Amino acid sequence: MLLFIFLFLLLSSNIHTALSAHCTTVTATKTFQKCMTLPSQQASIAWTFHSHNATLDLVFFGTFISPSGWVGWGINPASSEMTGTRALIAFKDPNSGQIVLLPYILDPTVKLQKNPLLSRPLDISLLSTSATFYGGKTATVHNGATIQIYATLKLLPNKTKINHVWNRGLYVQGYSPTIHPTTSNDLSSHATIDVQSGLAMAQHDNIKTLKIVHGIINAISWGLILPIGAVTARYLRHIQALGPAWFYAHAGMQLFALFLGTVGFAIGIRLGEQSPGVEYGLHRKLGFAAFCLGGLQTLALLFRPKTTNKFRKYWKSYHHFVGYSCVVLGVVNVFQGFEIMGASRSYAKLGYCLGLSTLIGVSIALEVNSWVIFFRKANEERLRRERLTDKYDKGSGSHS
């Protein structure tokens, strides 16, 4: 039931995000023919394509995330990625306090962050540019303020598929925008749109779907089923009435979790192949570590000594250490995944936390109960020995 609740919350949170976004073709100064909601940062774009002279009029709608931040939009002539983008970036002028819109070329050195990003003319046919606040001249830069970036450009003949790239950052040093946040939402801010048909290419939607499936499968397998299997082995094996049933339940859940986790792991590898330049170092390392430990646990079943074997205790120590390490890494990586997907305050994370908290609460209750039983049995054993000792002492006295 907890798994279904978590799945419902994750899907509903993504549906809510999709429904909350919208686009418009009307601004205070222009009316455009088409518009589209962009897949991240609640951004959108509207445009009019003049096919007779291959001219494109457009406006980009973005939001600031800091009073001292920046918002940028651009096109990449070569591919749908940040490197190589010809960008227009809007921010507050440090001298006048007015909004400025400057051109920047995002070459490969931008990712290295060795030098400040400096404004320079663009090498594309840009006919005009401007930027205005959604609230007009009286509006100010603040967290959530909407900026409109206007541009008119001349396209190449029969070139209607445009690679759009956009983003936003927290700070500007002088006239040099600093690096933007690196969550999944920020790193996926690009889309290829056919300005003539108004259709977006499907690659981004496929990647987003894979991310959701990857998150659901791994949260359920590594984050819930695997810990439940560990709890089953720790607290049910002492119940004599169950016999060997606890072992089959434990092994079945762990093997099922590993199977699902392998599927989620493979999807993660596929996502990495489809997202060149996007790297999540810690998430990837934790994922590889958890997957390797899970594989070692499975192989350990093939070399499980009998209970009478002298090496059994060493095998049990290894099995416990690797198993609990795998559980901890899996749970930590699930939370890391929520951060990457920009869902740190989502209903999906709330549902997962509720499920995990319930499991932890049950584990604490069972742990306390097991210690109570242990001390009770120890006390009964002590009383039994005392009675035997007294009986032996009385028997020795009467014999004397």
Side-chain angles (χ1 to χ4, degrees), residues 26 76 121 149 170 192-193 236 286 317 337 341 350 358 360 380:
V26 180
N76 190 324
I149 298 177
L170 293 169
T192 301
I193 302 173
L236 297 187
L286 290 175
S317 298
M341 293 187 70
L350 175 62
T358 302
I360 293 174
E380 291 175 354

Side-chain angles (χ1 to χ4, degrees), residues 62 67 82-83 118 145 151 184 189 216 271 288 309 326 347 365 381:
M82 183 189 75
T83 303
L118 301 178
S184 175
S189 298
I216 291 174
L271 280 170
F288 271 101
N309 193 301
C326 186
Y347 288 113
E381 180 66 19

Side-chain angles (χ1 to χ4, degrees), residues 8-247:
F8 171 77
L9 289 172
L10 183 57
L11 291 176
S12 63
S13 65
N14 283 280
I15 291 172
H16 178 266
T17 302
L19 293 177
S20 62
H22 61 279
C23 70
T24 180
T25 58
V26 180
T27 67
T29 57
K30 283 186 178 182
T31 299
F32 298 87
Q33 292 180 350
K34 298 177 181 179
C35 73
M36 178 177 292
T37 300
L38 298 175
S40 66
Q41 300 181 349
Q42 297 179 331
S44 63
I45 191 171
W47 72 92
T48 298
F49 176 62
H50 307 283
S51 56
H52 63 281
N53 60 0
T55 303
L56 179 67
D57 291 321
L58 64 84
V59 58
F60 168 80
F61 300 87
T63 55
F64 284 91
I65 55 174
S66 167
S68 57
W70 56 268
V71 175
W73 164 88
I75 62 173
N76 190 324
S79 61
S80 182
E81 60 181 357
M82 183 189 75
T83 303
T85 296
R86 277 59 175 167
L88 298 172
I89 300 180
F91 53 88
K92 186 169 63 175
D93 191 304
N95 297 319
S96 66
Q98 301 296 315
I99 198 73
V100 293
L101 183 69
L102 297 179
Y104 297 85
I105 297 179
L106 308 184
D107 56 35
T109 62
V110 173
K111 284 187 177 182
L112 302 177
Q113 303 178 49
K114 290 184 177 181
N115 300 310
L117 180 61
L118 301 178
S119 176
R120 50 177 165 161
L122 303 183
D123 54 356
I124 58 176
S125 299
L126 200 59
L127 304 181
S128 65
T129 62
S130 63
T132 61
F133 277 116
Y134 179 72
K137 295 183 178 180
T138 59
T140 58
V141 177
H142 61 273
N143 185 9
T146 300
I147 188 76
Q148 299 172 352
I149 298 177
Y150 293 86
T152 300
L153 35 136
K154 182 80 171 178
L155 303 183
L156 296 175
N158 301 319
K159 176 70 172 179
T160 59
K161 293 180 181 179
I162 307 299
N163 300 315
H164 297 266
V165 181
W166 63 96
N167 224 306
R168 55 195 182 180
L170 293 169
Y171 305 104
V172 177
Q173 295 178 346
Y175 291 91
S176 299
T178 59
I179 187 171
H180 58 75
T182 55
T183 66
S184 175
N185 190 42
D186 298 296
L187 294 176
S188 60
S189 298
H190 53 82
T192 301
I193 302 173
D194 190 324
V195 295
Q196 189 167 29
S197 65
L199 298 177
M201 302 299 102
Q203 181 181 7
H204 188 277
D205 293 335
N206 292 337
I207 292 177
K208 187 174 182 180
T209 301
L210 281 178
K211 284 182 179 179
I212 295 174
V213 174
H214 171 75
I216 291 174
I217 291 178
N218 285 331
I220 290 175
S221 57
W222 300 105
L224 286 176
I225 299 179
L226 204 69
I228 291 174
V231 170
T232 300
R234 178 167 178 79
Y235 299 111
L236 297 187
R237 63 181 176 179
H238 300 295
I239 303 177
Q240 297 180 355
L242 294 177
W246 71 267
F247 173 77

Side-chain angles (χ1 to χ4, degrees), residues 333-350:
N333 211 22
V334 169
F335 283 103
Q336 182 71 15
F338 279 120
E339 294 294 327
I340 289 174
M341 293 187 70
S344 57
R345 296 185 179 181
S346 65
Y347 288 113
K349 185 177 181 181
L350 175 62

